[in-house]
Amino acid sequence: SYLATHRRPLPTNLKDAFESGCGLCGNHVAAFLHLVRNLGFDARSVQIYTRMANGALLSHIMAEVRLGDKYR
């Protein structure tokens, strides 16, 4: 990853992510949610899991925004 190859510490919050110019999926989702909520949209984070071919379980976080009566 960019952070590993440049030997930068992982950001632990949104402020650190903005200051370092990089981040993980959770940092990106936090920034996106902050922006869309300030624009008046209802939004939420969603965590998903996927299993790799070797059996390892990976997690990922994404955002959904409510449009009409559904989150998308």
Side-chain angles (χ1 to χ4, degrees), residues 11-22:
T12 58
N13 57 55
L14 189 54
K15 181 180 178 286
D16 290 346
F18 273 114
E19 288 176 355
S20 68
C22 55

Side-chain angles (χ1 to χ4, degrees), residues 47-65:
Q47 189 167 11
I48 63 165
Y49 297 91
T50 186
R51 190 164 303 278
M52 302 296 290
N54 67 1
L57 190 63
L58 299 177
S59 70
H60 186 59
I61 191 163
M62 302 179 298
E64 292 182 328
V65 177

Side-chain angles (χ1 to χ4, degrees), residues 2 37 41 55 60 63 71:
Y2 178 85
R37 287 175 176 160
F41 290 95
H60 186 59
Y71 279 97

